[in-house]
Amino acid sequence: MIGLTTYLEQTKYGVWDVRAGLLPQQYFDGVTGSGGVAVLLPPQPRVDAAAAAVLDGLDGLILTGGLDIDPERYGAERHPETNPPREDRDEWEFALLRGAEERGMPVFGICRGLQVINVAHGGTLHQHLPDALGTERYRIGRAQFATNTAVVDAGTRLAGIVGAGEIEVHSYHHQGVDGLGEGLIPTARTDDELVYAFEAPGEQYLVAVQWHPEQNSEDRRLFAALVAAASVYADSRGSRPNTHSGQEVGA
């Protein structure tokens, strides 16, 4: 059972124009195509109690892509190109990550998800990479994913999944890692030295990539690795514990 975080967005479908939980299908195709069961996790109120209750029913967590994190979370003023804060999603994902790490649950971060993990570990972000690196190569716009090359370090968990050396990936972001968070190991970089993936040391399965692996339907290795780690986690605990505080979860 793999949870995937989602937006709450104003959405039009049929005759309706309402706020709805929203996530591109490619994400949950990555999970279901790798043998997992995808569970969508839109932001919810009473985040701590809700996150605990949700995590009790999951075996793995994917923090998906999306809009920018509120820069106040890493002590920075908002850059003009940074998206307006989405506090509901920020609070929800930080709570889910905190609870997943406390449980030793496998975690996979994608694009924004990598940035959430970095900030949660005390790291910082470049708010607009064209200012920091002088290039628009990571977000070309027009709803088109850019192709970039990352170099994966040998001897890392990531290399064990996708191989060491160069890998072509799909990118769509304008922010990236500046200061790396505590306890995180960089595992891939681009040729301009931008950290493009990291992981946690030791047995904890925490892998994060700045690119969008869900866009490559022919390469499910990162999703398959998360599902495999989640299966081990599920077996290790036998039945799902009920660890939440018993608070009422709801509006």
Side-chain angles (χ1 to χ4, degrees):
M1 298 284 286
I2 309 298
L4 301 99
T5 57
T6 82
Y7 289 99
L8 275 178
E9 291 293 320
Q10 196 73 23
T11 307
K12 293 183 179 181
Y13 58 98
V15 299
W16 307 107
D17 184 356
V18 296
R19 278 173 60 80
L22 178 68
L23 188 70
Q25 182 177 343
Q26 291 93 328
Y27 284 102
F28 46 89
D29 282 351
V31 171
T32 58
S34 301
V37 176
V39 180
L40 302 188
L41 307 176
Q44 301 194 31
R46 302 190 182 183
V47 291
D48 290 334
V54 163
L55 290 167
D56 285 347
L58 297 177
D59 305 309
L61 175 67
I62 298 178
L63 300 172
T64 64
L67 299 177
D68 302 330
I69 300 166
D70 186 348
E72 287 189 3
R73 288 186 175 267
Y74 48 96
E77 294 185 5
R78 182 176 173 272
H79 186 284
E81 294 293 330
T82 296
N83 301 135
R86 294 299 298 270
E87 295 181 4
D88 59 344
R89 187 169 180 186
D90 286 355
E91 291 182 7
W92 178 234
E93 290 188 335
F94 277 79
L96 287 169
L97 174 62
R98 184 166 56 249
E101 290 191 290
E102 289 171 352
R103 289 164 167 77
M105 178 182 291
V107 176
F108 180 31
I110 296 175
C111 197
R112 171 191 157 93
L114 172 143
Q115 296 170 12
V116 167
I117 295 167
N118 190 55
V119 171
H121 281 251
T124 60
L125 302 177
H126 292 297
Q127 287 192 61
H128 194 53
L129 290 173
D131 290 351
L133 303 178
T135 178
E136 299 274 2
R137 62 187 279 193
Y138 299 111
R139 187 181 67 176
I140 59 177
R142 304 179 302 280
Q144 296 181 15
F145 285 85
T147 299
N148 284 288
T149 300
V151 179
V152 179
D153 293 338
T156 61
R157 187 189 295 274
L158 181 63
I161 299 170
V162 301
E166 292 188 352
I167 181 174
E168 285 198 347
V169 297
H170 294 87
S171 306
Y172 203 101
H173 62 98
H174 78 114
Q175 299 194 341
V177 172
D178 182 8
L180 191 63
E182 183 177 354
L184 301 175
I185 300 171
T187 57
R189 295 180 186 269
T190 58
D191 59 6
D192 51 20
E193 294 301 309
L194 179 66
V195 172
Y196 231 53
F198 57 63
E199 61 192 43
E203 296 183 3
Q204 168 70 36
Y205 189 98
L206 188 153
V207 172
V209 298
Q210 185 61 79
W211 67 85
H212 283 270
E214 78 282 0
Q215 293 301 313
N216 187 352
S217 62
E218 296 181 358
D219 185 354
R220 300 292 197 205
R221 289 176 293 176
L222 283 162
F223 287 97
L226 184 278
V227 170
S231 180
V232 172
Y233 173 81
D235 289 344
S236 72
R237 61 179 181 154
S239 60
R240 294 184 173 88
N242 181 14
T243 58
H244 66 83
S245 65
Q247 299 176 54
E248 180 184 355
V249 179

